[in-house]
Amino acid sequence: MASLPISEPIVPDLTTKERVNASQHPELGTGPIPVEFFLSEEIFQREADEIFGRYWLVIGRSEQVRNSGDYFVYEVEVQKTSVIVAKGKDGKVRAFHNICRHRGNRVASGAGNCRHFVCQNHGWAFTMDGKLASAPDFSQFHDLDKATLGLVEINCEVWNSFIFINFDKNPAQTLIEQLGGFVEQYRDYPFESLVCGGQWSSKLRCNWKVFQDIFQEAYHVSTVHAGTFPTFYAGPINPFGRPGGFKTWGLNRSATVVYNPEYEATPIEKVAAALGTTWTDMATEGFPGSNWSNNKYFAFDINGTFPNILIDVASGFFFTHQFWPISVNETRWVGSVYFLPPRKPSELLSQEQAYILIRDAWREDLSLGEAAQLALESRAMDHVHFADSEIALRHSFEAMKQALNLDL
Ligand code: FES
Ligand SMILES: [Fe+2]
């Protein structure tokens, strides 16, 4: 499987006029990006088959299936299927196609806890580990063996609380191989201990890579987020959101976002920071593995985890953005924020302040994807352009090119 090299980390002087990231990454090039990368039906079909059909994909978190019998259902349109993730009696987390083996009805919906998945069509019942447990009037079938009629299983692995699936029956690489240096970097980060307290989702009329790119750079922050983060990130040392660090792990990448040390917290942010951990409280001590660039003004690292999730690690919390293609020009985005479970109401208040702030900021981002898609579809221009500060987008483009062996 193709992979880009593992690079030495860069922690640039943010005031320099040099385009430091590109000069450290000649393999990523500096040229314009063809709009076909985002618009081509042919590329999209190859992504569906060769990327979403063969790579490990985050489908959820272990907190969603804590107990035996817990399950959730997730639609994966790009593979034309619905997936059940369930924890069996043996404590193992498994994934199945949500398809009754009789005539194809769905056997589960939503999320919950149960002992069997029962098809509402004719009542075939499946155990949590996927076996066909019973089927009414089964003697009426011809030459069928119940043992071969279990739910169709999908490869499923859990790494550090993230549940991954792989639709390939024989994945070319293990999950750990795919994650590469990310595993070492975050081996001790307590992902398992943090819980999701805020999650937002939207279906957008744009290509999934158009929308993913919006969250891989901070160049847009002072303009798009003038309402929510006017000066928290943008300040005298870094007015235009250059990355405070950048490194790559094969197809994965990490870009550091820095904060403005001269930022004056708002009154509510001061209250929230005094009571617990909140978004703009940079005094919180980091968990092990955070701030790999050892940046004095570290805010968070954007960890582009191939192919479709950003696992962004801050000091006292982390958040994810996931981008599920529905079609070449439709995407479902899911943004989630994770903190330690609040131990008292005052900590909950701090976290709620963070959730509200980031909800509003992400709403600002939502305005960008569909407008960009329409602009690209007009084909009024043939290319888009990535600045040195958008090096993560360039790596993302090159990673996809390499994985698909695209000649663009
Ligand atoms: S389709 Fe499920 S029992 Fe018939
Ligand atoms: Fe943004």
Side-chain angles (χ1 to χ4, degrees):
M1 197 148 302
S3 78
L4 288 158
I6 294 170
S7 71
E8 287 301 314
I10 310 170
V11 184
D13 170 2
L14 293 169
T15 60
T16 178
K17 286 198 165 51
E18 301 297 319
R19 294 185 289 262
V20 288
N21 292 303
S23 56
Q24 295 283 332
H25 284 276
E27 77 280 6
L28 301 183
T30 55
I33 311 300
V35 297
E36 282 312 307
F37 179 59
F38 304 102
L39 300 180
S40 162
E41 282 279 0
E42 188 192 330
I43 292 175
F44 178 76
Q45 202 46 57
R46 291 197 54 206
E47 289 169 355
D49 296 342
E50 298 170 42
I51 304 293
F52 290 90
R54 294 189 196 162
Y55 281 80
W56 293 94
L57 309 167
V58 173
I59 189 87
R61 290 241 312 155
S62 49
E63 67 177 280
Q64 294 172 266
V65 283
R66 272 195 208 292
N67 304 308
S68 294
D70 284 354
Y71 73 91
F72 64 88
V73 172
Y74 206 84
E75 302 303 313
V76 183
E77 292 90 342
V78 69
Q79 285 292 302
K80 296 187 173 61
T81 195
S82 166
V83 175
I84 303 172
V85 176
K87 188 174 237 179
K89 269 190 192 157
D90 55 359
K92 187 168 163 31
V93 178
R94 296 179 179 83
F96 307 100
H97 287 279
N98 184 9
I99 296 173
C100 175
R101 292 296 302 279
H102 174 213
R103 278 167 47 204
N105 195 30
R106 293 198 169 175
V107 299
S109 61
N113 182 284
C114 64
R115 284 194 293 179
H116 291 99
F117 298 115
V118 181
C119 177
Q120 297 302 304
N121 198 350
H122 311 93
W124 284 29
F126 301 86
T127 60
M128 302 309 280
D129 59 0
K131 295 187 180 69
L132 176 59
S134 62
D137 214 8
F138 194 69
S139 63
Q140 288 295 296
F141 287 94
H142 306 275
D143 306 321
L144 281 190
D145 178 3
K146 274 192 190 153
T148 65
L149 292 170
L151 298 173
V152 178
E153 196 158 354
I154 302 165
N155 279 302
C156 182
E157 298 274 347
V158 181
W159 177 80
N160 215 340
S161 81
F162 292 97
I163 303 170
F164 288 78
I165 57 169
N166 192 321
F167 288 101
D168 193 338
K169 287 192 171 57
N170 298 297
Q173 57 187 346
T174 65
L175 171 60
I176 298 301
E177 285 167 349
Q178 183 180 312
L179 291 174
F182 187 82
V183 170
E184 192 56 43
Q185 182 65 43
Y186 293 109
R187 184 180 306 282
D188 299 321
Y189 191 93
F191 288 113
E192 183 86 42
S193 304
L194 281 70
V195 294
C196 183
Q199 185 170 75
W200 299 273
S201 178
S202 184
K203 185 175 164 185
L204 296 125
R205 197 195 160 280
C206 68
N207 181 268
W208 68 281
K209 294 165 299 188
V210 167
F211 206 55
Q212 179 164 258
D213 280 353
I214 288 166
F215 295 88
Q216 295 204 81
E217 45 89 357
Y219 185 30
H220 72 285
V221 171
S222 63
T223 40
V224 174
H225 298 303
T228 48
F229 292 112
T231 55
F232 177 63
Y233 296 107
I237 64 158
N238 191 22
F240 301 112
R242 295 181 185 180
F246 181 66
K247 71 173 174 180
T248 63
W249 296 293
L251 301 183
N252 305 310
R253 70 207 75 93
S254 186
T256 303
V257 175
V258 296
Y259 71 93
N260 167 18
E262 294 177 26
Y263 177 67
E264 177 66 27
T266 62
I268 185 65
E269 285 169 345
K270 285 181 183 161
V271 171
L275 296 175
T277 303
T278 194
W279 197 275
T280 50
D281 172 23
M282 292 295 111
T284 303
E285 198 173 326
F287 296 121
S290 61
N291 192 8
W292 60 261
S293 59
N294 204 19
N295 200 302
K296 198 171 162 192
Y297 304 125
F298 167 79
F300 61 90
D301 283 323
I302 302 171
N303 294 304
T305 312
F306 194 85
N308 72 328
I309 190 165
L310 310 178
I311 301 175
D312 292 358
V313 172
S315 283
F317 61 97
F318 75 95
F319 54 102
T320 60
H321 292 286
Q322 195 161 22
F323 308 88
W324 287 101
I326 296 171
S327 70
V328 67
N329 59 9
E330 291 173 294
T331 299
R332 190 175 58 257
W333 158 81
V334 184
S336 314
V337 185
Y338 301 81
F339 278 93
L340 286 172
R343 291 165 301 184
K344 44 193 179 180
S346 54
E347 288 184 355
L348 179 62
L349 194 147
S350 300
Q351 295 176 8
E352 287 295 329
Q353 194 271 331
Y355 293 135
I356 298 304
L357 183 63
I358 202 60
R359 177 202 66 187
D360 290 350
W362 289 350
R363 189 185 282 147
E364 291 165 341
D365 291 309
L366 288 182
S367 68
L368 302 171
E370 298 191 349
Q373 180 73 26
L374 281 174
L376 298 180
E377 286 178 3
S378 76
R379 287 189 162 76
M381 57 183 188
D382 300 327
H383 296 88
V384 294
H385 305 279
F386 294 159
D388 197 70
S389 49
E390 297 170 303
I391 189 79
L393 284 64
R394 199 173 280 288
H395 178 270
S396 203
F397 170 64
E398 289 298 325
M400 193 60 73
K401 265 175 65 182
Q402 288 212 16
L404 291 177
N405 204 12
L406 287 176
D407 184 20
L408 279 177

